[in-house]
Amino acid sequence: GWRENRWGIWVSGTRDTPKQILAPATSYWRPMSAAWIFSTGFNVKPWSAAPQFFAGFVRVLEDSPNLPVTGPVPSLSISLPSRFAFEKAIKVGANWDDLGPVQTSVAVTRDLGNQADLISADFGYLTDWGLTRTSPGVRLGLGADIISTGSGSGWIGQYRGNDRARGSITYEF
């Protein structure tokens, strides 16, 4: 990748070759095949008070993506999810992190292979409740995800109709 003061770009390629370990005879499992994982993206912050905008793309090419599930009852048909969240997806969004103690972000992830969308928004507040002089304090956070899918398949699609809200408290020491 390449990073400058207000922008950056990156490209990545990985070959994943899992070690094949046999599961116990009482378990259902899918052998994992080797895969190529490619991704690229960029970020840009047009001026100092602006949010940082970003976009990224990922593509996974498994050698044998649909290996059969094996287990103690061969005639039983079980569907196990892929070990990869996406086969082909794009994500765009923005982060605002220079608003003093307030941090916000919004992003849209589009699963191109399964026609599903995940819209995420997060809000954080960094308190000055640090227990030591060098501690940055406690971060309080709220977030929400809105899920839209036409197919009901894939990592996002499996959660159709299950929009969610979350809260967090983190402390660094």
Side-chain angles (χ1 to χ4, degrees):
W2 185 270
R3 185 173 185 95
E4 290 292 331
N5 189 24
R6 295 185 192 227
W7 62 273
I9 58 172
W10 51 271
V11 176
S12 173
T14 302
R15 177 69 172 166
D16 180 35
T17 310
K19 183 178 179 181
Q20 296 299 326
I21 299 174
L22 295 177
T26 57
S27 299
Y28 286 92
W29 63 286
R30 173 185 292 136
M32 293 185 284
S33 68
W36 283 101
I37 305 157
F38 300 101
S39 60
T40 186
F42 73 93
N43 59 53
V44 63
K45 186 173 179 120
W47 60 93
S48 63
Q52 179 184 55
F53 299 98
F54 61 87
F57 174 77
V58 65
R59 178 73 165 115
V60 176
L61 300 168
E62 281 188 272
D63 291 357
S64 301
N66 297 315
L67 292 173
V69 174
T70 61
V73 182
S75 62
L76 185 62
S77 176
I78 292 181
S79 176
L80 295 177
S82 170
R83 64 189 169 130
F84 298 105
F86 305 106
E87 180 183 314
K88 186 174 17 174
I90 189 167
K91 183 176 186 177
V92 296
N95 295 321
W96 294 267
D97 58 359
D98 48 352
L99 301 172
V102 176
Q103 302 166 332
T104 61
S105 69
V106 63
V108 177
T109 303
R110 173 76 170 163
D111 183 341
L112 299 169
N114 293 298
Q115 304 303 307
D117 299 298
L118 170 65
I119 302 168
S120 299
D122 288 284
F123 170 82
Y125 181 77
L126 185 60
T127 72
D128 58 0
W129 304 340
L131 300 179
T132 66
R133 270 188 38 207
T134 59
S135 169
V138 175
R139 183 181 184 279
L140 306 174
L142 293 173
D145 295 328
I146 298 172
I147 297 166
S148 170
T149 180
S151 67
S153 60
W155 185 80
I156 295 174
Q158 69 181 332
Y159 297 108
R160 64 178 165 207
N162 289 330
D163 298 339
R164 51 192 172 204
R166 61 185 166 277
S168 66
I169 301 173
T170 56
Y171 175 73
E172 296 178 24
F173 52 92

